[in-house]
Amino acid sequence: MKTLHKAFAIGAAIISFGVAALPAMAEEGPQHQYAATKFDPVKMQERMDQHAKRMHDALKITPAQEGAWQAYMSAMKSNMPQRGQFDRAAFKDMPAPQRMEKHIEMAKAHIARMESNLAATKTFYATLTPEQQKVFDEKASHFGHREHGRMMQHHSQ
């Protein structure tokens, strides 16, 4: 029984040291440049533009395909969730059933955006050569979709 009390005391001491260290860790600030700008709309747009340019270059878009590329990019950008549409404080104050309804509403909106993105992707994909399609297949798993996933995680927190 003494061993149990001793283990409990040691555990409590470790937890208290960890809790005491939290304010000091919070004052240190972000460890990485990305963390500081993660939700800065200007920086996010810059990252997306850079990524789109890398994709454009990797696909070696021809002048004949440029219109399809621009239409694809326009469709993808118009389907991005807009910042500021989610009121975290109001969401936290909602009763559980209403909060669940809101989650379902957000999920339906997300599915609608994904379906629209799929249609735009299919249209653009059809304009690519087989070699370009292979590059697109390799790179598209990271293109435009990862940010959506992170945004949805951010909204559900």
Side-chain angles (χ1 to χ4, degrees):
M1 193 69 161
K2 267 189 170 179
T3 310
L4 183 60
H5 288 293
K6 191 184 263 185
F8 180 72
I10 290 171
I14 290 171
I15 290 172
S16 66
F17 287 132
V19 171
L22 286 176
M25 289 170 57
E27 292 172 10
E28 288 178 15
Q31 296 294 324
H32 301 285
Q33 177 85 17
Y34 176 73
T37 63
K38 184 175 180 179
F39 297 110
D40 178 352
V42 173
K43 295 290 184 184
M44 188 173 1
Q45 187 61 50
E46 287 173 6
R47 282 191 302 275
M48 288 174 15
D49 291 344
Q50 290 169 356
H51 191 76
K53 183 180 180 340
R54 284 192 306 271
M55 178 67 111
H56 183 278
D57 294 346
L59 290 172
K60 299 176 182 156
I61 299 295
T62 66
Q65 295 170 320
E66 192 63 38
W69 169 259
Q70 292 301 326
Y72 172 69
M73 290 306 302
S74 177
M76 295 301 280
K77 285 181 182 180
S78 70
N79 286 325
M80 289 289 294
Q82 300 299 310
R83 300 280 315 152
Q85 289 182 341
F86 183 77
D87 185 356
R88 188 179 301 267
F91 193 81
K92 191 184 272 187
D93 293 337
M94 288 180 188
Q98 192 175 357
R99 223 178 13 247
M100 188 175 281
E101 287 173 347
K102 188 69 172 171
H103 272 292
I104 291 169
E105 178 184 317
M106 289 169 27
K108 287 178 180 177
H110 181 71
I111 289 171
R113 286 191 307 272
M114 289 174 62
E115 288 172 339
S116 180
N117 286 348
L118 174 60
T121 301
K122 284 181 175 182
T123 301
F124 174 64
Y125 194 84
T127 69
L128 300 176
T129 66
E131 295 82 23
Q132 289 173 314
Q133 288 177 350
K134 185 176 179 183
V135 171
F136 189 86
D137 291 342
E138 291 170 4
K139 300 208 178 278
S141 64
H142 304 296
F143 186 66
H145 307 290
R146 191 168 55 193
E147 294 301 322
H148 288 293
R150 286 187 181 148
M151 288 182 158
M152 291 309 291
Q153 287 174 354
H154 173 71
H155 288 310
S156 65
Q157 291 176 350

